[in-house]
Amino acid sequence: MRFLTLFVCMVWESSLSVHSQVFSMEQVNDSTHYLVLRTDSTTDKWLLPYPVYQFQVGDVDGNGTTDALVGVIKRTRFRPEKDRRLFIFKNKNTLIRPLWMGSKLGGILVDFKYTKDGIVRSLEKTLKDEYVVAEYKWQGFGLGFERFLIKKVTREEATKVFNQ
């Protein structure tokens, strides 16, 4: 009987994290935001002291729960210029925790979106002022390159492919 009770509690906790979570963003001002995770019984917040240019949700790591993809504008230790970055957060026992806080994908990140089946599509600029649209997929720790949808084109051409 004790095993059955434990099993029921585990199923309930699992269904809570899978079915009863919502990520959202709260803007304090132009350069301060909170990522918010609401479940049936809790609310957790993660301070993002940066401008946010994009917010998406999707199951990036393929574990069956929704992750939050947040585009921020910030410097990094290795790239002192303010650029667009992609941060991915997960729900870990009703608390927001970083899954990946990337400083760079392939090129200079212009925009991103979660498409389906764990795919993150990016619109990127090259050092030669050309544009590419690439797709990335979770590979254990971080996003791994999957394929280019288009490369060495104008921003307008790349934007059309990015938005498909």
Side-chain angles (χ1 to χ4, degrees):
M1 184 67 172
R2 187 173 185 189
F3 175 76
L4 180 60
T5 303
L6 177 62
F7 178 73
V8 170
C9 289
M10 287 171 55
V11 169
W12 181 79
E13 285 181 17
S14 175
S15 66
L16 175 68
S17 66
V18 172
H19 300 290
S20 302
Q21 74 172 37
V22 176
F23 280 103
S24 62
M25 293 295 301
E26 289 181 3
Q27 182 173 357
V28 177
N29 56 47
D30 288 345
S31 61
T32 305
H33 296 76
Y34 282 98
L35 175 61
V36 180
L37 172 62
R38 287 188 174 83
T39 68
D40 286 340
S41 59
T42 65
T43 299
D44 190 35
K45 293 184 176 187
W46 185 280
L47 176 64
L48 293 164
Y50 320 107
V52 171
Y53 69 91
Q54 182 63 269
F55 172 70
Q56 301 264 308
V57 294
D59 184 9
V60 174
D61 60 0
N63 71 350
T65 61
T66 301
D67 304 306
L69 297 87
V70 182
V72 300
I73 300 171
K74 70 176 290 291
R75 295 176 172 90
T76 68
R77 180 175 13 161
F78 301 109
R79 288 192 50 91
E81 306 85 10
K82 282 188 177 181
D83 275 330
R84 291 179 170 208
R85 315 288 180 203
L86 170 58
F87 290 175
I88 304 173
F89 297 90
K90 64 182 176 178
N91 173 352
K92 174 88 170 163
N93 299 322
T94 71
L95 298 174
I96 298 169
R97 293 294 178 255
L99 183 60
W100 187 68
M101 299 179 87
S103 61
K104 192 164 173 57
L105 289 173
I108 301 164
L109 186 59
V110 175
D111 205 357
F112 70 88
K113 67 180 175 179
Y114 179 85
T115 59
K116 61 180 168 108
D117 300 325
I119 299 292
V120 176
R121 183 175 294 170
S122 67
L123 173 61
E124 301 172 31
K125 183 178 174 182
T126 70
L127 294 175
K128 296 179 180 180
D129 286 333
E130 298 170 325
Y131 289 82
V132 304
V133 177
E135 290 187 336
Y136 297 85
K137 193 165 176 96
W138 188 254
Q139 293 186 347
F141 179 76
L143 295 171
F145 175 79
E146 287 287 303
R147 67 182 178 139
F148 286 113
L149 297 180
I150 196 168
K151 56 185 177 177
K152 296 184 179 181
V153 296
T154 66
R155 184 174 181 142
E156 292 75 27
E157 290 173 288
T159 301
K160 285 180 189 175
V161 173
F162 176 76
N163 288 323
Q164 291 177 347

